[in-house]
Amino acid sequence: SSTVTALRFGLHRQGSRRRPPVATMDSTEAQKQIEQMTSFILSEATDKANDIAKKGEEEFSIEVHRLITEQKEKIRQGYERKAKQIETQYAIAKSMAINKQRLEKIKARQDVMGNISEDVKGELAKAIQASGNNSKDFITKLIVQGLLMLLEAEVNVRCRKCDKQLVNDCLQAASDQYSEIIKTQTGATKTCKLTINEQDFLPESCLGGVALSCFGGKITIDNSMDLRLQLVMDQAKPAIRGLLFPTK
């Protein structure tokens, strides 16, 4: 019983001990701490907002710089394309102008050469008309020259209708000269029967001369004055060009 009494007494004393006092905070200090926390949060938020704004401005500046650079490059490429197009158009126009000038120059030279040919043709026609008996000798030689090319026994002779009598007077002499040349050069005896083709005369616009044919016109020798003049002009063109258009 004493033991029980002692235990009860101890428990009673233990239960009767005072608890330590809980620290209390007045409203002023609490308000101060709230304000400090609020200020800290606002400061952090402001710094964060400033960082975001700064980063946004940097990204904006970078994007603006990129867009400006791209536009500058596009404009530069556009101007380069236009410059190349202009250069190409200029080169084409220059080439066309040079070609046009060259063609005009060639045409002008051809016109001069043609005028010379016409002038010579006119002078030749006057010379033939003034030659008289010499025309007969000349026509005879033209016929003989053609006969030596054909070497046939029968040959038709074409001439202008106005020259029919003149050519007819030359046939026998031409045949005799032909036979004589063959006899002299080869020792052979060869004759040729000459006939004027009265169905197909040379045009009256030509200068004269003759055209020889055999085997029904399958083989022909054109010994007209017009063709001979053309051959002479073709051969003399380089020399005439050199006199009229000397190179620097």
Side-chain angles (χ1 to χ4, degrees):
S1 60
S2 59
T3 303
V4 172
T5 302
L7 289 171
R8 287 178 178 178
F9 179 77
L11 292 171
H12 175 74
R13 290 177 60 84
Q14 183 177 3
S16 62
R17 291 179 182 175
R18 297 180 61 185
R19 295 178 179 178
V22 178
T24 60
M25 182 183 301
D26 58 12
S27 60
T28 302
E29 186 175 357
Q31 183 65 30
K32 184 177 180 181
Q33 288 187 1
I34 290 172
E35 291 177 353
Q36 289 178 352
M37 292 176 64
T38 302
S39 177
F40 175 77
I41 292 171
L42 289 174
S43 177
E44 288 292 323
T46 302
D47 291 343
K48 188 67 174 176
N50 290 336
D51 290 341
I52 293 172
K54 184 178 180 181
K55 185 176 180 181
E57 290 177 356
E58 290 177 353
E59 291 178 351
F60 176 76
S61 298
I62 292 172
E63 184 65 17
V64 169
H65 179 71
R66 184 184 66 80
L67 292 174
I68 292 174
T69 302
E70 288 180 355
Q71 293 302 319
K72 284 183 177 179
E73 182 63 20
K74 288 181 180 180
I75 293 172
R76 185 185 66 80
Q77 292 178 355
Y79 275 112
E80 286 182 353
R81 285 195 298 270
K82 290 181 179 179
K84 289 181 180 179
Q85 290 176 355
I86 293 173
E87 289 177 358
T88 302
Q89 292 174 357
Y90 172 77
I92 293 173
K94 182 179 179 181
S95 177
M96 291 178 65
I98 292 173
N99 288 336
K100 182 179 179 181
Q101 184 180 16
R102 182 175 60 84
L103 292 174
E104 289 177 351
K105 185 177 181 181
I106 292 173
K107 185 178 182 302
R109 290 186 174 184
Q110 289 176 342
D111 291 341
V112 171
M113 295 297 292
N115 292 335
I116 292 175
S117 179
E118 290 299 321
D119 292 342
V120 172
K121 189 174 181 179
E123 293 297 324
L124 184 58
K126 293 179 182 179
I128 292 173
Q129 291 178 356
S131 62
N133 292 330
N134 292 331
S135 295
K136 187 175 181 180
D137 294 335
F138 181 69
I139 295 296
T140 301
K141 290 179 180 179
L142 291 179
I143 296 172
V144 172
Q145 187 180 54
L147 293 177
L148 291 172
M149 293 180 182
L150 294 174
L151 297 174
E152 295 297 332
E154 295 184 4
V155 174
N156 285 332
V157 181
R158 293 177 62 209
C159 63
R160 295 185 303 179
K161 191 172 184 179
C162 63
D163 294 333
K164 176 183 174 182
Q165 188 58 49
L166 172 64
V167 174
N168 189 63
D169 293 342
C170 299
L171 296 183
Q172 188 58 50
S175 179
D176 293 341
Q177 289 185 26
Y178 166 72
S179 299
E180 184 180 352
I181 292 172
I182 295 295
K183 183 69 173 179
T184 302
Q185 294 186 359
T186 66
T189 301
K190 196 171 183 67
T191 60
C192 179
K193 180 182 178 181
L194 296 172
T195 305
I196 294 179
N197 188 346
E198 298 186 7
Q199 303 300 321
D200 186 18
F201 289 102
L202 293 177
E204 294 296 329
S205 59
C206 74
L207 292 173
V210 293
L212 279 63
S213 64
C214 58
F215 298 109
K218 293 181 180 179
I219 301 176
T220 61
I221 298 294
D222 190 347
N223 232 359
S224 64
M225 295 297 299
D226 299 78
L227 182 61
R228 295 179 71 88
L229 175 61
Q230 182 181 345
L231 292 174
V232 171
M233 288 297 298
D234 290 341
Q235 294 173 357
K237 274 182 180 179
I240 295 174
R241 287 197 187 99
L243 294 173
L244 296 176
F245 317 111
T247 57
K248 297 180 180 179

